[in-house]
Amino acid sequence: MNFVEELKWRGMVHDMMPGTEEQLQKEMTTAYVGIDPTADSLHIGHLVSVMILRHFQRCGHKPIALVGGATGMIGDPSGKSAERNLLNEETLRHNQECIKKQLSKFLDFDSDAPNAAELVNNYDWMKDFLFLDFAREIGKHITVNYMMAKDSVKRRLNGEARDGLSFTEFTYQLLQGYDFLHLYETKNCKLQMGGSDQWGNITTGTELIRRKLGGEAFALTCPLITKADGGKFGKTESGNIWLDPRYTSPYKFYQFWLNVSDEDAEKYIKIFTFIPREEIESLVEEHKAAPHLRVLQKRLAKEVTVMVHSEADYNAAVEASGILFGNAAADTLHKIDEDTLLAVFEGVPQFEVSRDLLSGGVKAVDLFAEYAKIFASKGEMRKLVQGGGVSVNKEKLEAFDKEITTSDLLNDKYLLVQRGKKNYYLVIAK
């Protein structure tokens, strides 16, 4: 496969330095992408860079993922209006290990293939670099005028940041430029890739390689992903969509992709899956013929959830969706784990009752009208039960005085009460 052609039809090329495509066609090339280690999980904002590295390896080239342990201690001014918090080494090492584990789902690190992926941390070559040596060996090759001309610097100096731009952040592009120089010398790395906001930092690296070594290096950036409505991609009301299930459950992850707009689904399915061109074009046509079936969103959600989590997590997410939005049976509800249950019913009214109350058994009408006030009165509940309008754990409540015990609890802790078709309540036994 031709790497650049593959990225272009997928809408994943923003800028590319002249000669890049020729270099890739000439030989197996090594390229790197920098990843910010400020958390111990990647989020879907990182996923574009990761997909590019995977495409790169699939096309026969060698990818390097660079964890920015040193640069993460400083903070990149690109696209930021405030200086970030600085991390200590212990935190950075922990984050690096977690990130590598996640990247292993996408990249082949372990084979003996010549294009096996590598993970490096720039802290390893920066930690012993004395300031005076850095100023002599690197600083003298790049002028302040050159650094000031970068958009990321100009925007901060022109008042976007309340406190201006610290010297620490101003030096960031030199440090990133040195990363490229170091990898060029030690790994024969000739290409750096990243988001379009990184163009200035990347080209500082190519310039440094040219001025210090007389070498030729290349740059390729992808567009920053946006939503059709102008909102920030990957952000929800509750924050980032993380790849780690500890922070974003597979159910919530699946729901994020399932709920994107038609316009975004058509764009994202090219960027975040490896589905071939002809099949995507066919899916787009099928979707346009019957948009209400949400063919694109369903396929996108499946591909990304399986890729990041697993087929089992995807199937569980689909089943869990059926509980809230479909006619899922009670046995489905009993199978899902606590995290998924809470994710599915996030936001529904919750009531706490004493576990002791259920230990000896309690009538449903007393439990739901008196202890957990789901119904305004026992009379109201009786009427609804007689009309077939009340379910407990997705099973219709046949008698309002049915005894509820701890054996009815989901995950030994919850009761799901449904009143009518759309009103859910979660009773928590503590």
Side-chain angles (χ1 to χ4, degrees):
M1 279 195 303
N2 180 302
F3 175 69
V4 173
E5 279 180 17
E6 183 72 10
L7 289 199
K8 277 182 174 173
W9 80 259
R10 290 183 183 273
M12 295 171 76
V13 175
H14 187 271
D15 281 309
M16 186 168 60
M17 197 171 272
T20 303
E21 199 163 0
E22 290 77 3
Q23 167 61 34
L24 295 173
Q25 287 168 344
K26 186 172 70 176
E27 60 187 0
M28 183 186 85
T29 302
T30 301
Y32 88 93
V33 165
I35 293 171
D36 175 15
T38 46
D40 64 357
S41 171
L42 302 173
H43 53 72
I44 60 173
H46 294 111
L47 208 45
V48 187
S49 295
V50 176
M51 297 298 278
I52 283 178
L53 285 177
R54 184 162 168 180
H55 279 299
F56 197 68
Q57 192 170 39
R58 288 172 84 221
C59 291
H61 300 292
K62 184 178 178 68
I64 294 177
L66 181 146
V67 172
T71 38
M73 287 182 163
I74 287 178
D76 178 5
S78 304
K80 308 287 190 302
S81 57
E83 192 154 341
R84 69 174 61 172
N85 294 331
L86 310 184
L87 303 176
N88 61 36
E89 185 180 355
E90 185 186 353
T91 304
L92 286 164
R93 291 295 181 194
H94 165 74
N95 293 355
Q96 175 185 340
E97 284 310 304
C98 295
I99 288 168
K100 182 170 185 184
K101 195 174 170 188
Q102 288 183 331
L103 288 174
S104 297
K105 285 196 166 190
F106 300 87
L107 301 171
D108 167 22
F109 287 98
D110 301 321
S111 79
D112 54 5
N115 71 327
E118 287 187 48
L119 185 93
V120 296
N121 186 336
N122 60 12
Y123 184 75
D124 294 332
W125 57 81
M126 287 305 304
K127 65 176 188 259
D128 298 321
F129 208 152
L130 297 177
F131 178 76
L132 287 176
D133 292 339
F134 188 82
R136 275 171 56 100
E137 293 175 30
I138 305 304
K140 70 172 187 176
H141 291 286
I142 301 292
T143 66
V144 170
N145 298 28
Y146 180 86
M147 293 171 72
M148 296 273 284
K150 300 292 182 182
D151 284 342
S152 57
V153 173
K154 280 197 291 195
R155 278 197 299 271
R156 290 288 290 274
L157 290 176
N158 290 341
E160 271 193 20
R162 193 171 61 237
D163 301 322
L165 182 70
S166 69
F167 173 75
T168 308
E169 285 192 307
F170 182 60
T171 59
Y172 183 92
Q173 62 172 292
L174 268 188
L175 291 172
Q176 186 168 326
Y178 178 68
D179 288 342
F180 201 173
L181 176 72
H182 177 83
L183 292 176
Y184 181 91
E185 288 187 295
T186 59
K187 307 275 187 188
N188 194 30
C189 178
K190 293 183 178 175
L191 172 63
Q192 186 184 162
M193 304 183 289
S196 57
D197 60 334
Q198 291 298 308
W199 183 255
N201 293 330
I202 295 172
T203 51
T204 296
T206 62
E207 186 67 7
L208 188 58
I209 289 165
R210 187 184 70 79
R211 292 186 185 186
K212 185 166 170 57
L213 303 175
E216 187 175 28
F218 303 93
L220 185 150
T221 61
C222 59
L224 295 180
I225 307 302
T226 54
K227 294 197 316 192
D229 64 6
K232 189 168 183 183
F233 169 74
K235 286 276 189 184
T236 65
E237 286 175 18
S238 53
N240 285 320
I241 303 294
W242 299 93
L243 305 197
D244 191 317
R246 291 175 303 160
Y247 305 135
T248 300
S249 70
Y251 169 78
K252 270 191 170 178
F253 186 86
Y254 166 77
Q255 284 292 325
F256 170 82
W257 299 101
L258 192 63
N259 290 314
V260 300
S261 69
D262 289 354
E263 193 178 334
D264 286 335
E266 190 174 332
K267 180 167 72 170
Y268 296 165
I269 202 163
K270 294 175 186 172
I271 296 170
F272 297 107
T273 77
F274 295 95
I275 301 171
R277 186 173 193 165
E278 299 72 24
E279 194 177 345
I280 285 182
E281 287 169 354
S282 170
L283 284 165
V284 169
E285 289 309 309
E286 191 183 340
H287 182 90
K288 284 178 177 169
H292 62 286
L293 296 178
R294 298 176 71 74
V295 171
L296 279 178
Q297 284 91 339
K298 287 176 182 173
R299 184 62 186 279
L300 170 67
K302 177 179 182 177
E303 293 285 329
V304 186
T305 305
V306 170
M307 178 174 65
V308 170
H309 295 291
S310 69
E311 186 97 34
D313 286 323
Y314 161 72
N315 290 330
V318 173
E319 283 199 345
S321 299
I323 293 167
L324 194 52
F325 306 112
N327 300 311
D331 61 335
T332 303
L333 187 63
H334 284 274
K335 280 193 299 188
I336 67 171
D337 60 87
E338 182 177 9
D339 288 343
T340 305
L341 179 76
L342 293 175
V344 172
F345 294 101
E346 184 181 30
V348 306
Q350 296 184 359
F351 298 91
E352 288 185 10
V353 297
S354 164
R355 189 181 179 82
D356 295 339
L357 183 67
L358 299 178
S359 297
V362 60
K363 288 179 181 176
V365 69
D366 294 335
L367 179 60
F368 301 133
E370 194 176 319
Y371 296 103
K373 296 192 181 296
I374 293 170
F375 300 92
S377 67
K378 293 182 180 181
E380 182 199 27
M381 181 174 164
R382 279 195 193 99
K383 275 185 195 168
L384 272 166
V385 170
Q386 286 161 359
V390 179
S391 295
V392 176
N393 298 342
K394 297 298 280 187
E395 289 180 344
K396 206 164 284 297
L397 191 63
E398 302 293 349
F400 63 83
D401 58 353
K402 182 191 173 187
E403 198 170 73
I404 306 287
T405 70
T406 51
S407 65
D408 294 302
L409 292 171
L410 303 168
N411 291 291
D412 201 33
K413 192 173 179 182
Y414 305 98
L415 291 168
L416 178 69
V417 182
Q418 191 174 352
R419 173 182 167 174
K421 283 190 175 180
K422 295 184 177 176
N423 299 309
Y424 288 95
Y425 304 86
L426 208 55
V427 177
I428 305 168
K430 286 193 169 180

